[in-house]
Amino acid sequence: MVKIGITYVKGAVPGFEDFGNLPTDIVKSNGLVNGVKANDELDALIIPGGTLIESGDISDDLKKEIVKMAQDQKPIIGICAGFQLLGNQIDIGRKSEVPIIKEGLGLIDVNFSPLITSDRVKAEVYNNSFITEGITEDIDGYHTHTYGNVVGDAKPLFYSKIQRMNYGDNERKIFSGAVNDDGNVIGTMIHNLLDENPKIVSNLLNYLDADEKEITKIYRKNEEVKRFLNHEVGIDANYPIEKLSDEFLKMKDNEPKFLMIGSTGSDSGKTFIVTGLAGALRRKGLKVGLLKVGPDVRDLIPGLYLTKGKMEEYSSIKIGHLGWMEFSETIEKLKQSDYDIVLIEGVMSVFTGTLNETVPYSASEIAISSNIPMILVTGVNKGGIETGAVDIVAHSKMLQKLGVDVKGIILNKVYNEEIFNSTVDYIRKETSVDYIDSIEKLKLKMRGTTPEIEIKYDIFSKTALETVEKNLDIKKIASLASEISFNRYLTFDEIKNLWNK
């Protein structure tokens, strides 16, 4: 039988895509497949995205097996971080005064440096290869990366047409895929390459001489791989998925339930809390969907690392011209899904963009449109707990005036529990919100826990999960979610009138 491996190591996101439903075997960090060296066992290898370079979790044993497979002319496809691993080097010093260089395997002659894109894309096929044979039309997929500037002498394979880069509108084509000189090692920054382009899957199977019987076996074995992926939260972290208790079993009835996590501003800890909640709810046996208001779906990846969930075509909620899909369409797609609960991460403050004439342009407008219950978060590390309490009360009152159902309030980065407890009665009296909770300020000494500066998915996600489970009432938070339906967006004039009322 044809055997196609997928690397299962800390920092990787093997559930992020289906990879054409092709992986048949798991390759662990020791470079073994079912106790046998990967090169002796596999016919091909897929290396998924993640923080493989930053995490440093690619062992020497696994590196040796990847190099051996390349030398033996076996096909290897690296996606995003997998591409970076196959290249020469990557500069991960996005906010550093000097480059921070990490070495790759040197199998594809390219280097990487910071360039942020999170677009749905169409990509031009620039050269022939074993996966692009006979393809003349553009291929589909998406980008979600921080280190996407690719330069080098390798034969280019794809150029992606992007609309935005580094947080600004900038339509252009960027180098997004390459093939090595021998033609068997391919790297690309395009996610869903195998899921959205059936001809590429067909070409790969033809290259492996897989007949119809072999293909049936591959797909059957892939089901086993997916069951393995979903036996635990995270990767080798000892977080088994529990059997659903009665409290959570009722959430599997009917359609998925929705809950938005909004905030009073950036750096409040939304991504950290959403990540922890996603992992905690998945541990309880629920299937958790994740959405992001606006285009920067990178914020969802740590949560998907824990849940082994997919980045869906609707994961980015469109606001103005930013994002992937209109929310009304997203809801309809989710109603047909098997998700039990969907967490929506807001963008910046819930009000950022509310008074832009383009509708919708903020998290609050998305919440209003469909009566989405919200947990509102504020960080108290800059202004103090008392200021945070006043700030979140003001935000809650305005949200309630606009028609948003604020179900919960969380003060994050709390450094003194007594002071927090002293603010609870005030917050509850002013907002009538019942669920008010706090998350302690963490003393993080390890690197890799700060999005936008340096994030390692394994460290960040485990820290978020453990912190959320320690500090928050998971059952209570799950009970705040509800089924929703899209109603309509308020007009700009309606928002202005409510704002000034």
Side-chain angles (χ1 to χ4, degrees):
M1 174 186 162
V2 172
K3 294 187 175 182
I4 304 170
I6 187 165
T7 51
Y8 187 81
V9 298
K10 291 180 180 180
V13 283
F16 202 57
E17 313 170 39
D18 285 328
F19 304 102
N21 299 309
L22 293 178
T24 63
D25 290 88
I26 295 292
V27 184
K28 291 293 196 76
S29 61
N30 57 11
L32 301 181
V33 178
N34 301 319
V36 180
K37 290 184 177 180
N39 187 47
D40 295 332
E41 187 75 358
L42 298 176
D43 301 292
L45 178 65
I46 296 171
I47 308 174
T51 53
L52 302 180
I53 299 292
E54 300 97 305
S55 67
D57 285 316
I58 301 294
S59 68
D60 289 340
D61 288 334
L62 180 53
K63 289 178 181 177
K64 287 177 183 177
E65 292 306 305
I66 294 171
V67 171
K68 285 179 182 177
M69 290 187 69
Q71 291 172 342
D72 287 352
Q73 300 299 303
K74 294 182 178 180
I76 298 174
I77 299 175
I79 300 169
C80 200
F83 184 13
Q84 293 165 357
L85 177 65
L86 296 172
N88 295 324
Q89 64 179 34
I90 171 176
D91 170 14
I92 64 169
R94 198 180 81 77
K95 291 197 174 182
S96 171
E97 293 181 359
V98 296
I100 301 175
I101 302 299
K102 300 288 185 178
E103 299 297 325
L105 297 179
L107 297 175
I108 302 177
D109 188 11
V110 291
N111 299 321
F112 298 86
S113 59
L115 186 153
I116 297 170
T117 63
S118 296
D119 285 345
R120 291 283 313 171
V121 299
K122 286 190 175 293
E124 176 186 344
V125 177
Y126 195 77
N127 270 304
N128 201 16
S129 71
F130 70 88
I131 64 169
T132 57
E133 183 73 32
I135 297 179
T136 57
E137 68 278 7
D138 289 347
I139 62 167
D140 296 312
Y142 64 88
H143 286 198
T144 173
H145 51 249
T146 304
Y147 308 107
N149 184 40
V150 187
V151 296
D153 294 327
K155 184 167 71 172
L157 191 58
F158 302 119
Y159 279 87
S160 292
K161 304 167 186 174
I162 63 169
Q163 290 78 49
R164 288 174 59 81
M165 59 179 282
N166 297 332
Y167 305 112
D169 293 341
N170 192 337
E171 292 189 16
R172 57 184 295 187
K173 288 184 181 180
I174 61 171
F175 186 8
S176 60
V179 59
N180 70 337
D181 290 341
D182 290 337
N184 65 306
V185 180
I186 285 173
T188 181
M189 301 306 292
I190 304 169
H191 290 280
N192 265 18
L193 181 77
L194 295 165
D195 292 338
E196 299 188 33
N197 303 283
K199 180 61 177 173
I200 288 179
V201 173
S202 177
N203 283 343
L204 176 56
L205 291 169
N206 287 337
Y207 188 76
L208 294 169
D209 293 325
D211 58 23
E212 288 187 12
K213 289 184 179 179
E214 285 286 305
I215 293 171
T216 299
K217 290 179 182 178
I218 287 170
Y219 290 150
R220 189 176 297 132
K221 197 72 165 56
N222 180 255
E223 293 175 3
E224 295 179 20
V225 167
K226 287 180 178 174
R227 283 194 290 271
F228 173 82
L229 294 181
N230 285 285
H231 83 284
E232 65 175 344
V233 169
I235 294 178
D236 293 336
N238 297 315
Y239 298 138
I241 295 174
E242 302 168 7
K243 183 178 179 181
L244 277 169
S245 61
D246 290 341
E247 297 96 327
F248 292 98
L249 188 60
K250 60 186 178 183
M251 293 196 69
K252 297 191 74 68
D253 297 338
N254 304 319
E255 298 173 359
K257 295 176 172 58
F258 291 71
L259 183 64
M260 180 179 286
I261 312 300
S263 76
T264 60
S266 297
D267 195 36
S268 59
K270 289 190 299 296
T271 297
F272 188 83
I273 292 171
V274 169
T275 297
L277 283 175
L281 292 166
R282 185 70 189 108
R283 281 193 78 183
K284 296 297 183 183
L286 297 174
K287 184 167 184 185
V288 184
L290 295 174
L291 304 178
K292 173 70 178 180
V293 178
D296 201 355
V297 289
R298 293 177 303 154
D299 291 342
L300 302 181
I301 304 176
L304 296 174
Y305 174 81
L306 290 176
T307 67
K308 308 288 179 43
K310 289 178 62 180
M311 183 72 76
E312 306 280 11
E313 61 177 337
Y314 47 76
S315 292
S316 164
I317 299 172
K318 197 165 188 178
I319 51 173
H321 68 290
L322 308 174
W324 294 358
M325 186 175 287
E326 296 289 348
F327 192 50
S328 56
E329 188 178 353
T330 296
I331 293 175
E332 290 308 309
K333 287 184 177 293
L334 279 164
K335 286 184 177 183
Q336 306 303 316
S337 75
D338 61 350
Y339 289 113
D340 303 310
I341 185 168
V342 178
L343 303 178
I344 304 174
E345 180 177 341
V347 55
M348 302 180 75
S349 160
V350 289
F351 296 126
T352 304
T354 303
L355 296 180
N356 188 303
E357 291 190 13
T358 301
V359 174
Y361 214 77
S362 68
S364 60
E365 291 167 272
I366 297 298
I368 296 165
S369 75
S370 307
N371 297 322
I372 306 169
M374 181 183 292
I375 290 179
L376 190 61
V377 177
T378 193
V380 303
N381 54 310
K382 294 182 178 178
I385 296 171
E386 301 90 341
T387 301
V390 172
D391 194 15
I392 208 161
V393 163
H395 274 72
S396 296
K397 285 184 172 181
M398 180 58 76
L399 283 169
Q400 291 164 343
K401 182 191 289 189
L402 293 173
V404 176
D405 188 5
V406 180
K407 288 284 192 180
I409 285 174
I410 296 173
L411 269 61
N412 190 24
K413 309 176 186 179
V414 168
Y415 50 84
N416 186 304
E417 196 66 22
E418 289 186 13
I419 297 177
F420 165 73
N421 289 334
S422 298
T423 68
V424 170
D425 288 343
Y426 160 72
I427 296 171
R428 183 170 286 121
K429 178 183 176 182
E430 292 294 320
T431 65
S432 299
V433 172
D434 178 56
Y435 178 64
I436 302 170
D437 217 333
S438 69
I439 292 178
E440 62 188 330
K441 183 179 180 180
L442 301 180
K443 297 179 180 179
L444 299 173
K445 296 182 180 180
M446 72 284 276
R447 296 172 66 88
T449 54
T450 309
E452 277 300 284
I453 298 176
E454 183 179 359
I455 184 168
K456 299 177 182 179
Y457 293 146
D458 188 67
I459 293 175
F460 181 88
S461 301
K462 286 167 62 176
T463 304
L465 172 57
E466 291 170 1
T467 302
V468 163
E469 288 189 330
K470 177 182 177 183
N471 288 267
L472 302 181
D473 186 339
I474 304 303
K475 291 180 182 179
K476 176 64 176 179
I477 288 174
S479 72
L480 302 179
S482 65
E483 295 180 11
I484 65 172
S485 295
F486 183 81
N487 298 319
R488 70 179 182 91
Y489 293 122
L490 297 182
T491 66
F492 179 60
D493 286 339
E494 287 174 321
I495 292 171
K496 279 200 305 182
N497 289 338
L498 286 169
W499 191 272
N500 295 315
K501 191 172 180 181

